[in-house]
Amino acid sequence: MSVAERIDALRAELDEHNHRYYVLAQPTISDRDFDALLQELTKLEEAHPEFRSPNSPTQRVGGRPLVGFRTVKHAVPMISLANSYDLAEIRAFDKRVRGLLKNQSFQYLVEPKIDGVAMSLRYEQGQLVLALTRGDGREGDDVTANIRTIGSIPLTLRTPHPPEVLEVRGEVYMTRKGFVKLNQQRETAGLPVFANPRNAAAGSLKLLDTREVAKRPLDAIWYGVGEMRGIDFATHRELLNGLDELGFRTPPLTRDCPDLPTMEAALEENLNARNHYPFEMDGAVVKVNERTLYGELGNTAKSPRWAIAYKYEPEQVETRLLDITIQVGRTGVLTPVAELEPVRVSGSTVSRATLHNWDEMQRKDVRIGDTVLIEKAGEIIPAVVKVRIEKRPSDALIFPEPDACPVCGGPVSKREGEVAWRCENLQCPAQNTRRLQHLASRKGLDIGQLGSVVADALVEKKLIAHPLDLFALALDDVAPLELGTPERPNTFGRKNAQKLLEGIQQAKELDLQRWIFAIGISNVGESASIDLAKHHEDLQSFLDSDLIRSLHRDIQEVDTAIQQMKEELNPRTRLTPTTPQAEVTSILEEYEELRSKVEEILTRWSDRGFVTLTTKALKKTDRGLPIPSYNFSSNITTSVLEACRAFYDSDQGATWLRKALEFNLNPTRSAGDSSPSGKLSGKKVVFTGSLEGVTREEAKQTLRDLGATISSSISKNTDFLIVGENPGSKLEKANELGVAIVPYHDLIDPKAEPQSETTQVLREQLDLFDS
Ligand code: IVH
């Protein structure tokens, strides 16, 4: 036997034993014999590096650390499931499916919903070549090296005739036991613990050290497919059996359900089994079994119409409320937090829960010493749902409204129309830490080394009084930072400090949109930041923007004028049959004057793409006088304008500008934002209806990347209306206004057959596809 043959034989044998051990849980050799085979293979591969392969069983123990994760586009987007919480919704789903499928016969299949991390594995010619996280559904992180360490995942499909391409989809999870053990180890080591098994699994998959990943108790279950070439399955049952044969672990407890009653029984059975498996289940999934009918059923923007998740009600548990503390957020909002007697709920131990605000606290009549009901639903922070008044001790204490900030002692106030109390002191250290964390967050300047502990330490050591002070940090300031406790010291160190400073330097190169988001102005989220960046050259011009100030002023004026036209100057209320003619004339004149002023202002802003002008005629009884109105064409709306304005006028805002100048920070708009080169540059598009295979957000981003501006309402300035299924009234409007109507895929997918001549012509005119 040649070396190559021996290597092949060993690999096949080891793969087989791995499968028996991890997937079937029926090992047929001892660990010792297994190790001996693995040893032999390792030696042969070391001696003959030309035969090394990433899918060799020797690679499961992990290897060289990774530098990072590249993002890769999914061949088929990873969409999600619609959720339902009661049988009524399930029955409605059944009715909908039956309606769509008319008289065709079909069955359902019920399987558990596994609470893990969604993953897509790509096999080409039977070899694992790529493992991607879901990411945003359109593209995910390449975690292949980490996935290879999971024993139950086949590195090579168990078939002599592998298909050309097979993408397998499922969940990677951490076992409950493994999770508890890992947290115990972390606690002893002084490391932060994971909140639940899902976070632990997600955290493990993001480790750069594959050897470390190999030690984590990860496993996986597979229930779906993405791209397939040279293989197909007619039903979901066949798919599960097929995956099983190819070497994958598939869900336990799957039931074929010919009708609604059997399906309901299967859901009940699933719920009862919830704690019997080593992984967390957060519900069941009902799928139409016949895959051949999926095309007919189609997808909504976010999820397929052939499946629905039946989620368990979040578990609620009782515990005692020992104390109430106050947390101060980035924008100064004070949040009362319940300090609880630790309890386990939905798979994790909870000792704190949010009480939201004082109004809520009063409404629920929460007092210190009460017995309360708490719940944790998915990602959401645990919340106090209810007080068990009957268990209230006589000495339970009402928690008073705050009279000062608990962190800095500064004044607190409540803004008109808001329920939240805020700390007024913009230099409050609590706000500084949160602002700093927000600045460094992934959607902001993405400075990985700057987590909450480091942020706290920087503020506490008075190295940072304003987020931009980051740019004045020196290695010697940061390296000695103490992050631990006196009992468990943990110094930041030169290496980490160096990385932090590198991250800070890199942030200077990020584009304007990220910087605007990073400032953390209230109401200015990601979408508003994108739109604000389009209208500003660079950071410094945004930090005191005449454009925003004047738009804000004009919008206020317009709003007041429109209000006046509707009320005081409304001919209906002002004019009676006995009003003297002279007064009629003067009122009408005044009205006309206001109207033309408003229209003049709005036209100016509409030409610049901020608003769209609509003119509604008042009803007949109002003498048919037209009254102007408008919509915002982008995410720069009144609340964004007000927040920017308040920011410019605050000390915080002034300091941003001063420091940006001082540190010479002036990131500019990236090419992508204004996209002079984008094929859709300058085009205004509006969406209606649900799109197949992509979410609305993803679709918007794709078009933005091509340079288009997305508006929410249609006008004669709109270039195209992108239509999906079940379009709304915008479709009629587009027809009325003669706006081009384009199916999304016609515009972005070179493989899509254009559905009309208009879109064919558009494609050519815009020269969208090179070939
Ligand atoms: S099917 C196109 N089946 O739950 C539909 N998903 O909340 C693909 N999940 O995105 C999903 N167990 O990550 C399906 N048996 C199961 C599942 C399951 C868990 C996850 C999956 C999905 C999410 C939706």
Side-chain angles (χ1 to χ4, degrees):
M1 195 186 277
S2 70
V3 172
E5 281 167 345
R6 180 64 190 150
I7 286 182
D8 275 349
L10 280 168
R11 284 181 185 163
E13 197 174 347
L14 285 161
D15 277 343
E16 181 62 30
H17 288 307
N18 261 328
H19 180 69
R20 288 185 193 201
Y21 182 87
Y22 288 107
V23 180
L24 308 177
Q26 287 166 347
T28 47
I29 61 168
S30 68
D31 288 2
R32 211 190 161 135
D33 292 343
F34 182 89
D35 286 342
L37 293 173
L38 194 64
Q39 270 292 332
E40 185 187 346
L41 180 59
T42 310
K43 285 215 179 102
L44 282 175
E45 287 179 353
E46 273 167 11
H48 302 275
E50 68 275 22
F51 296 134
R52 280 199 193 149
S53 151
N55 284 341
S56 165
T58 55
Q59 299 308 301
R60 292 200 188 265
V61 290
R64 261 181 303 143
L66 310 172
V67 246
F69 303 102
R70 59 178 185 138
T71 44
V72 179
K73 197 161 177 262
H74 289 291
V76 176
M78 284 182 85
I79 52 176
S80 189
L81 288 173
N83 285 330
S84 65
Y85 292 89
D86 56 36
L87 289 177
E89 287 176 87
I90 290 286
R91 287 174 198 142
F93 165 78
D94 172 58
K95 211 166 147 197
R96 211 159 46 236
V97 170
R98 283 184 201 286
L100 287 166
L101 294 181
K102 310 267 162 34
N103 295 322
Q104 302 180 74
S105 78
F106 67 95
Q107 292 203 351
Y108 292 112
L109 194 147
V110 171
E111 66 192 21
K113 183 163 172 346
I114 298 129
D115 194 12
V117 180
M119 189 66 56
S120 182
L121 306 178
R122 184 178 176 90
Y123 292 82
E124 290 178 2
Q125 315 299 351
Q127 294 294 320
L128 174 66
V129 292
L130 186 63
L132 291 181
T133 61
R134 189 212 320 269
D136 62 3
R138 205 171 50 118
E139 51 181 34
D141 285 339
D142 174 354
V143 291
T144 318
N146 288 345
I147 285 298
R148 287 204 177 95
T149 67
I150 301 178
S152 68
I153 295 180
L155 303 178
T156 307
L157 298 180
R158 289 168 56 81
T159 166
H161 307 292
E164 193 183 336
V165 173
L166 172 64
E167 285 185 355
V168 179
R169 289 177 174 180
E171 302 290 297
V172 171
Y173 61 84
M174 187 171 284
T175 58
R176 278 205 221 114
K177 269 199 193 135
F179 162 73
V180 173
K181 207 165 132 199
L182 177 69
N183 264 356
Q184 280 164 356
Q185 288 165 354
R186 290 176 71 84
E187 213 157 5
T188 341
L191 295 167
V193 295
F194 289 109
N196 53 48
R198 175 159 35 80
N199 290 2
S204 302
L205 289 171
K206 287 297 167 64
L207 291 172
L208 292 173
D209 187 346
T210 47
R211 274 173 227 255
E212 224 23 69
V213 184
K215 291 184 204 151
R216 297 283 170 94
L218 296 175
D219 209 334
I221 287 188
W222 307 94
Y223 48 70
V225 289
E227 195 185 359
M228 291 190 282
R229 272 188 251 157
I231 188 167
D232 208 353
F233 306 103
T235 63
H236 189 59
R237 177 56 74 198
E238 281 177 30
L239 182 154
L240 294 177
N241 290 340
L243 293 185
D244 214 83
E245 277 169 28
L246 291 169
F248 295 91
R249 289 189 60 218
T250 50
L253 201 75
T254 59
R255 292 283 178 260
D256 298 307
C257 308
D259 51 25
L260 199 54
T262 46
M263 175 164 104
E264 290 184 8
L267 291 175
E268 176 75 26
E269 180 193 25
N270 192 79
L271 176 65
N272 293 334
R274 129 172 239 199
N275 293 319
H276 295 169
Y277 291 98
F279 47 84
E280 301 266 340
M281 284 162 51
D282 57 344
V285 184
V286 176
K287 295 176 178 171
V288 168
N289 188 37
E290 283 67 18
R291 292 177 49 82
T292 43
L293 300 174
Y294 289 3
E296 207 164 315
L297 289 166
N299 297 332
T300 69
K302 290 205 189 92
S303 48
R305 287 209 187 80
W306 44 264
I308 191 165
Y310 178 66
K311 300 255 280 187
Y312 303 141
E313 278 305 335
E315 211 182 311
Q316 296 190 340
V317 295
E318 255 183 44
T319 186
R320 268 205 357 128
L321 197 162
L322 305 175
D323 198 2
I324 294 175
T325 53
I326 303 176
Q327 213 169 51
V328 187
R330 171 169 56 83
T331 51
V333 171
L334 308 187
T335 306
V337 175
E339 305 288 341
L340 308 165
E341 205 164 84
V343 271
R344 266 189 87 71
V345 49
S346 308
S348 60
T349 302
V350 166
S351 56
R352 307 182 84 199
T354 177
L355 290 162
H356 302 294
N357 54 57
W358 273 262
D359 283 22
E360 268 295 301
M361 208 154 46
Q362 259 161 27
R363 202 177 56 73
K364 292 183 188 142
D365 189 18
V366 179
R367 303 189 191 176
I368 299 173
D370 270 338
T371 295
V372 292
L373 213 57
I374 62 162
E375 78 171 27
K376 213 186 73 195
E379 294 291 347
I380 309 161
I381 320 160
V384 170
V385 238
K386 205 175 163 185
V387 173
R388 288 260 177 260
I389 303 275
E390 67 282 8
K391 294 194 180 172
R392 171 169 291 165
S394 57
D395 59 352
L397 282 177
I398 294 184
F399 189 67
E401 302 221 300
D403 48 17
C405 170
V407 174
C408 69
V412 293
S413 71
K414 226 178 188 182
R415 290 186 195 161
E416 210 184 293
E418 284 191 1
V419 289
W421 284 91
R422 284 169 197 268
C423 166
E424 290 292 301
N425 173 14
L426 287 162
Q427 292 313 318
C428 172
Q431 292 189 54
N432 272 332
T433 338
R434 296 290 149 70
R435 273 206 211 93
L436 191 56
Q437 273 175 265
H438 176 80
L439 183 95
S441 65
R442 247 179 103 151
K443 289 183 178 173
L445 302 187
D446 195 16
I447 306 175
Q449 296 293 314
L450 220 175
S452 60
V453 182
V454 178
D456 277 342
L458 288 169
V459 171
E460 201 187 318
K461 281 274 163 312
K462 302 218 163 26
L463 288 167
I464 286 190
H466 182 277
L468 287 189
D469 292 342
L470 265 187
F471 292 86
L473 287 179
L475 190 63
D476 292 334
D477 295 332
V478 203
L481 274 187
E482 188 45 61
L483 307 177
T485 56
E487 304 87 61
R488 285 206 191 107
N490 178 15
T491 313
F492 194 45
R494 288 189 84 77
K495 217 165 128 191
N496 286 326
Q498 192 64 48
K499 275 197 207 149
L500 172 63
L501 294 185
E502 276 162 21
I504 295 171
Q505 286 312 311
Q506 277 162 13
K508 289 185 177 170
E509 308 300 321
L510 294 176
D511 57 30
L512 182 57
Q513 169 243 313
R514 302 262 291 226
W515 274 83
I516 293 178
F517 176 82
I519 300 172
I521 303 170
S522 53
N523 295 321
V524 179
E526 213 181 352
S527 320
S529 302
I530 292 172
D531 291 339
L532 286 165
K534 283 190 192 140
H535 293 283
H536 294 86
E537 282 301 314
D538 51 35
L539 181 66
Q540 293 173 9
S541 67
F542 171 73
L543 285 174
D544 195 2
S545 164
D546 287 336
L547 179 76
I548 295 301
R549 281 183 187 275
S550 58
L551 176 56
H552 179 236
R553 200 179 325 109
D554 283 354
I555 289 295
Q556 277 182 321
E557 194 174 339
V558 163
D559 287 346
T560 320
I562 292 178
Q563 203 56 28
Q564 243 178 323
M565 294 166 85
K566 282 189 187 152
E567 287 162 13
E568 300 134 58
L569 286 176
N570 186 338
R572 181 166 60 174
T573 47
R574 278 294 292 276
L575 302 181
T576 65
T578 58
T579 313
Q581 189 53 43
E583 205 181 320
V584 174
T585 316
S586 108
I587 286 179
L588 291 181
E589 263 171 19
E590 216 180 314
Y591 190 94
E592 238 350 272
E593 201 178 303
L594 264 188
R595 184 174 77 103
S596 63
K597 187 168 97 188
V598 164
E599 284 187 350
E600 182 266 319
I601 297 178
L602 288 175
T603 311
R604 246 188 308 118
W605 291 109
S606 140
D607 289 345
R608 302 179 70 174
F610 287 94
V611 296
T612 48
L613 181 58
T614 50
T615 295
K616 286 186 204 140
L618 289 179
K619 292 192 208 97
K620 280 263 167 49
T621 46
D622 298 327
R623 300 192 166 207
L625 287 181
I627 196 162
S629 70
Y630 67 92
N631 287 316
F632 287 101
S633 330
S634 74
N635 294 296
I636 307 176
T637 56
T638 305
S639 64
V640 169
L641 292 170
E642 277 171 2
C644 288
R645 190 39 220 286
F647 171 74
Y648 298 150
D649 291 343
S650 70
D651 289 347
Q652 183 70 18
T655 318
W656 257 90
L657 184 57
R658 186 167 51 73
K659 300 231 174 199
L661 288 162
E662 184 183 327
F663 301 139
N664 199 16
L665 296 171
N666 204 16
T668 52
R669 176 162 77 192
S670 78
D673 288 337
S674 59
S675 264
S677 60
K679 301 228 161 140
L680 293 179
S681 153
K683 301 289 178 213
K684 292 204 184 62
V685 306
V686 174
F687 280 84
T688 185
S690 53
L691 307 172
E692 202 187 301
V694 282
T695 67
R696 181 69 75 83
E697 266 320 302
E698 291 157 11
K700 282 186 180 171
Q701 193 51 49
T702 307
L703 293 197
R704 276 191 203 116
D705 292 346
L706 284 166
T709 309
I710 320 284
S711 317
S712 52
S713 58
I714 198 159
S715 74
K716 62 180 193 307
N717 296 329
T718 308
D719 291 289
F720 329 110
L721 178 72
I722 312 279
V723 283
E725 284 176 70
N726 302 321
S729 61
K730 287 180 194 159
L731 183 60
E732 272 163 49
K733 190 114 188 258
N735 274 322
E736 257 167 48
L737 295 169
V739 169
I741 295 163
V742 190
Y744 176 71
H745 293 279
D746 274 14
L747 207 54
I748 55 110
D749 183 358
K751 281 184 279 184
E753 217 18 63
Q755 294 184 10
S756 73
E757 207 169 309
T758 328
T759 54
Q760 177 65 46
V761 171
L762 258 177
R763 271 193 188 196
E764 283 160 16
Q765 275 178 359
L766 296 169
D767 187 20
L768 274 172
F769 309 114
D770 298 329
S771 52

